[in-house]
Structure formats: C-alpha cells, structure tokens
C-alpha cells in the first residue's frame, strides 16, 4: 500500500467547492518559517543555474558546531524520509527483518518492504508507548533494524531515559538502532533520553532529525542522520548526488541560526496542545499524553466516518483506520483559531 499523505487544503476545497479550510493532518508548523530563511531563499534563487553544493558545507558546519559532532558524523537527505530510504538501501536485504513498535510512522513498513525485507510490528503498550521489553523479546537472528520514533507518530507518546538506555544496552550490537527524533524540539518531559549522547556508547545507532517540524520547512525537504563517521560513510555512498537543493540548504542554515523563531514555534505548539487538551476534556474525550505537535484523540466508534464529516466543515484531521485505530483521530496543533475551529466542528459532528 502506498503512503497516504494528509489531504491538501487545495484538494479538499476543489472537491467540496468551499474555501478557508484548515489542515491539521500532517504535523506541520502552524506558522511559517523564519524570515531569515525566506530571505536566504530569495538571495540564493539568483544562482539556481548552478548545481547545489553536494557536501552541504555551510549547513553541515553550522549543525556540527551546534550539535558538538564532527561534520563527517552527518548525512543530509530529502527529509528524514530520505534518510529512512538510505537506511533500507544500505542495511536491509530480502529475508531480513525490520522491527518497530506499532502503530508508528507509516513509512517504516513501506521502506522495509521496498527493500524486500519483512516488517515486524510490536504492539504499543496500553498507554500507547513503545514496549521496550516486547521489542527486545521480538529480536531474532534475522533482525537488522529497530526503528524507534521517539516521540512516536501517530500517538505523540515518548519513552524515557531508562527505557531508552535499556535498548541501547540490551539490543544486540549487530542490530542497527534507529532513533527517529522528528519531534524532538517539542518534548518537555524531564527524563527524555539523549540519543545523541548514546552515540558515544553504541556504534550501531543512528539518530534522525528533520527541518520539517520545529523549523517549519516541510516544503523544502531537509532531514539528516547523526551517527559514527563509519556508518555515515555507507549512507553517503548510497545517496544521490545533490540530493539537498540549494534553496533548502541556505534556508535550513538560516532557520537553524534563528533560535528565537524556533522557540516561538515551540511556544505556539505548547499553547495549542494546552488549548486542544482543555477543549477535548470539556467534550469528555480522552487523548494520549503527547510530547509532539499533535494529539491522538479517542473519538469513539467510526472515527474515519467522523473525519469525513469534519471535512465538510473544512477541517482536515488524520483518520487512523489504516493503523487499526478505528476509534481515534490524530489532530495536529494549529493556530489558536484553527484549534478552535477543530474543537467546534468536532462538538457539532459528535452530537449528530
Ligand atoms: N519520522 C517521523 C516519526 C515522522 O512523523 C515524519 C513526518 N511525518 C518523518 C519521519 C518524516 O519527516 P520528513 O521526511 O519531513 O523529515
């Protein structure tokens, strides 16, 4: 089955002949990127006759400094999706297993099958968290990758430092542990693990990050991997040349430097989570504890049908029937007005 993205606003409006819709279906930043990123794009546009810098020199240098790692410990790609693809290409072959909690990021089974390998899905625990004991118990001689989104998508839940340390310690060395930290910048729990620090303890570990969420650059497609220079060298061999375009490179570097803007996006997100939680409580609805920029909401039976009805209000949330979550919807944090609109439409449709 192909990856199903959140419905674009333009598509919904074309289909229903409406306008002013809000998209809360793809965990995007509700506010745009840093002005500095936009200005960097305009300045770089004059040179689009040239191929990009294949080494991503300026972006690599800035990130390496900020993270305290060597430049050779980084590999860039078209979103963290691009890195997942490289991991599959380098480390999965027919007959191999890739292990991951489920439900989790929809691309994990797709990248695994694309390499001819087998996805092995380990159910989340009752609080929708990755079950580290069950993951470790599911490892077999065929297991090559363990894909762990922390915080997890579509649940927003995370695992703490003790659980992560256990994985780092007990997962056999020959299994590559992939810590996908797409939502890292939104995390508030005090005991959130540092996957970056664990790179000092474990050779077969790779950390994934992205500019799509807290840097508000989803449209440009920049993600990266942090790992040992040796492991990174394999990803570098497998990637396409010039994979990160020149506008994306300058915008990502500018966004990285604009810490005030990133802090603003985190604040809008945290305020939005509080607003959504309060509104959902008022409606008597349960939701999972989220460390990300979205909430998993239990809306009752026929959640996918409810999501279809929300579309008529111009509100796009994410149905999760495909994940086996037939009583839940995922809603991304929007602006104050967008969140309000979601809550109001939900209240109307649940009364029907
Ligand atoms: N990992 C997780 C857990 C995600 O939720 C997403 C985005 N939905 C990605 C990776 C991919 O993000 P991108 O390719 O935009 O970096």
């Amino acid at each position: 089955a192909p990856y199903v993205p959140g419905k674009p606003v333009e598509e919904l409006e074309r289909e229903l002949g409406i306008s002013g819709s809000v998209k809360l279906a793809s965990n995007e930043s509700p506010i745009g990127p840093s002005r500095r990123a936009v200005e960097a794009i305009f300045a770089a546009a004059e040179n689009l006759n040239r191929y990009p810098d294949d080494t991503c020199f300026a972006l690599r240098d800035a990130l390496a400094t900020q993270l305290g790692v060597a430049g050779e410990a980084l590999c860039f790609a078209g979103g963290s999706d691009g890195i997942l693809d490289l991991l599959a290409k380098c480390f999965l072959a027919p007959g191999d297993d890739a292990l991951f909690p489920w439900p989790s990021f929809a691309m994990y089974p797709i990248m695994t099958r694309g390499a001819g390998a087998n996805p092995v899905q380990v159910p989340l625990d009752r609080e929708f968290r990755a079950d580290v004991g069950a993951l470790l118990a599911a490892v077999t001689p065929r297991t090559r990758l363990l894909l762990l989104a922390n915080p997890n998508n579509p649940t927003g839940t995370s695992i703490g430092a003790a659980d992560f340390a256990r994985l780092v310690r007990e997962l056999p060395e020959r299994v590559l542990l992939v810590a996908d930290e797409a939502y890292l910048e939104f995390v508030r729990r005090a005991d959130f693990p540092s996957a970056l620090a664990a790179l000092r303890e474990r050779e077969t570990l790779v950390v994934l990050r992205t500019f799509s969420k807290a840097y508000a650059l989803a449209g440009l497609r920049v993600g990266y991997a942090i790992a040992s220079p040796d492991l990174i060298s394999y990803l570098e061999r497998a990637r396409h040349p010039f994979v990160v375009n020149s506008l994306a490179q300058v915008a990502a570097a500018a966004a990285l430097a604009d810490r005030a803007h990133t802090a603003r996006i985190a604040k809008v997100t945290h305020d939005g989570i509080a607003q959504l939680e309060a509104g959902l409580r008022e409606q008597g609805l349960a939701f999972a504890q989220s460390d990300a920029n979205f909430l998993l909401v239990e809306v009752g039976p026929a959640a996918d049908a409810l999501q279809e009805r929300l579309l008529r209000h111009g509100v796009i949330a994410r149905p999760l029937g495909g994940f086996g979550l037939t009583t839940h919807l995922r809603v991304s944090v929007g602006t104050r007005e967008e969140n309000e609109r979601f809550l109001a439409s939900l209240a109307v449709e649940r009364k029907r």
Side-chain angles (χ1 to χ4, degrees), residues 3 26-27 78-82 84 105 108 149 151 153 180 182-183 210 212-213 221-223:
Y3 181 80
S26 297
N27 303 341
S80 25
D81 282 334
L84 290 171
F105 185 36
Y108 296 164
N153 176 12
D180 180 347
Y183 302 98
T210 183
S212 297
K213 311 294 179 185
R221 316 302 302 121
V222 195

Side-chain angles (χ1 to χ4, degrees), residues 34-324:
S34 159
R35 283 307 307 167
R36 283 152 73 172
V38 175
E39 280 158 20
I41 289 171
F42 273 106
E46 296 289 349
N47 299 318
L48 283 175
N49 53 317
R50 304 292 175 194
Y51 281 99
D53 172 359
D54 185 54
T55 68
C56 298
F57 181 84
L59 176 59
R60 183 182 301 271
D61 196 48
L63 251 187
T65 305
Q66 192 181 101
L67 298 173
V69 300
E72 304 77 53
L74 300 172
C75 177
F76 295 92
S80 25
D81 282 334
I83 299 289
L84 290 171
D85 223 42
L86 293 177
L87 289 169
K89 208 165 158 185
C90 291
F91 301 115
L92 287 178
D96 291 341
D97 287 351
L99 195 63
F100 44 86
W102 197 253
S104 189
F105 185 36
M107 279 310 293
Y108 296 164
I110 293 175
M111 65 176 265
T112 302
R113 288 206 180 90
N118 314 306
V120 178
Q121 305 177 338
V122 177
L124 299 174
D125 71 13
R126 269 199 262 154
E127 259 99 53
F128 295 107
R129 297 205 161 86
D131 184 336
V132 168
L135 284 165
L136 287 168
V139 172
T140 74
R142 287 187 308 277
T143 312
R144 298 298 308 275
L145 294 186
L146 196 162
L147 301 157
L148 179 79
N150 199 31
N152 188 43
N153 176 12
T155 58
T157 50
S158 63
I159 64 165
D163 272 339
F164 187 74
R166 183 169 168 212
L167 264 187
V168 168
R169 218 174 33 239
E170 294 182 27
L171 184 69
E173 191 86 50
R174 60 182 173 72
V175 181
L176 179 60
L177 176 57
V178 180
D180 180 347
E181 297 187 328
Y183 302 98
L184 173 76
E185 295 83 355
F186 304 116
V187 172
R188 284 177 286 181
R189 72 185 281 171
D191 70 335
F192 193 78
S194 173
L196 191 61
L199 285 171
R200 274 184 249 118
E201 282 165 60
R202 186 180 171 99
E203 179 80 13
T204 49
L205 169 65
V206 53
V207 183
L208 267 50
R209 303 258 178 99
T210 183
F211 283 91
S212 297
K213 311 294 179 185
Y215 295 94
L217 290 173
L220 276 182
R221 316 302 302 121
V222 195
Y224 60 99
I226 319 164
S228 73
D230 185 44
L231 199 147
I232 289 291
S233 77
Y234 288 95
L235 304 184
E236 285 288 331
R237 273 169 253 195
R239 74 170 172 84
H240 292 187
F242 311 119
V243 65
V244 183
N245 73 67
S246 26
L247 303 187
Q249 290 188 33
V250 293
L256 187 71
D258 193 347
R259 292 192 190 222
H261 192 72
T262 313
R264 211 172 120 223
I265 292 174
K267 165 109 176 56
V268 167
T269 302
H270 294 151
D271 291 351
I273 289 275
Q275 182 193 356
L276 286 169
E277 286 182 347
L280 291 168
R281 268 194 211 103
E282 233 167 74
Q283 297 184 36
L285 294 177
F287 47 84
Q289 181 67 48
S290 176
D291 267 311
N293 62 349
F294 56 88
L295 280 177
L296 178 75
V297 188
E298 187 170 5
V299 291
D304 286 13
L306 176 68
Q307 132 73 11
E308 286 293 323
R309 299 206 304 278
L310 290 177
L311 289 178
R312 290 174 220 283
H313 296 252
V315 172
I316 313 174
R318 190 65 156 244
L320 300 170
F323 292 87

